[in-house]
Amino acid sequence: MDLVTELGPLLSAEAAAEAPAAGIDPADLEQAVWLRLLERDTVAGRPPETARWLRRAVRAEARRARRRALREVPYGDRPAGGDRGPERSALAEEEERVLRSAVARLPGRCPELMGALLSPRDLTYREIAGELGISQGSLGPVRSRCLGCLRRMLAAEVAAPERRGKER
């Protein structure tokens, strides 16, 4: 019997049961589990108890989606475009000025790398590596170091409020 025909109804039912609590679409959950099954099938072969594995995989994917939802931060109440008031515009411009100033003070190649990453041209890693004359594989680690340095610089300049409104 075909794998999709055999396990499709079970997967649909499990995904429909788990998806609402995870805050995702049941079809997305099904797709993620099918993908995990195919990846496992190519590496280690089909699990001996496929139905049991499928139920566990649905729950694991739902847990993963819940954790991801906790980490994601919505944009909030920032209005888009030009419909923000003068105070918000001034604050946004000040934030942008402080950020640009901090990026310009970064050491080494960080200012050029951050400028390329934030470019409105929407460059690929390959294009950025070509422009900067560094290998494409080193872009990720260099970017990580630059962002860490930027984070430390900004944290020292702007005291972030602690929980319950206390300031450092």
Side-chain angles (χ1 to χ4, degrees):
M1 186 188 272
D2 180 45
L3 187 65
V4 175
T5 308
E6 179 185 341
L7 296 176
L10 174 64
L11 179 56
S12 294
E14 291 288 331
E18 291 289 331
I24 60 173
D25 185 50
D28 291 340
L29 187 56
E30 280 185 57
Q31 183 178 10
V33 173
W34 280 125
L35 182 61
R36 284 186 64 192
L37 181 60
L38 288 174
E39 288 171 345
R40 179 190 160 83
D41 197 31
T42 57
V43 174
R46 187 179 298 177
E49 296 179 12
T50 311
R52 173 186 251 178
W53 180 92
L54 188 111
R55 287 186 187 102
R56 287 181 181 168
V58 168
R59 285 170 182 75
E61 286 296 325
R63 281 192 307 273
R64 186 175 291 123
R66 283 191 292 273
R67 284 193 306 267
R68 187 174 41 248
L70 290 174
R71 288 191 311 265
E72 292 175 349
V73 178
Y75 280 111
D77 61 352
R78 288 187 176 192
D83 54 336
R84 58 184 179 196
E87 184 177 330
R88 286 189 183 208
S89 294
L91 289 173
E93 288 173 16
E94 176 64 15
E95 286 176 357
E96 204 171 303
R97 185 195 62 74
V98 168
L99 182 61
R100 273 195 304 259
S101 171
V103 167
R105 292 190 321 266
L106 286 171
R109 301 188 113 173
C110 289
E112 296 107 26
L113 176 60
M114 297 307 291
L117 288 170
L118 298 173
S119 169
R121 296 184 295 161
D122 196 26
L123 301 170
T124 65
Y125 263 34
R126 177 175 284 155
E127 293 167 336
I128 293 171
E131 274 190 15
L132 298 178
I134 59 178
S135 73
Q136 186 176 347
S138 67
L139 279 180
V142 171
R143 178 187 62 96
S144 181
R145 284 191 298 272
C146 293
L147 288 174
C149 186
L150 181 63
R151 193 175 299 117
R152 287 187 299 277
M153 286 172 64
L154 291 174
E157 292 176 12
V158 180
E162 291 182 13
R163 293 183 183 221
R164 298 190 203 121
K166 297 179 183 178
E167 292 191 24
R168 293 188 237 186

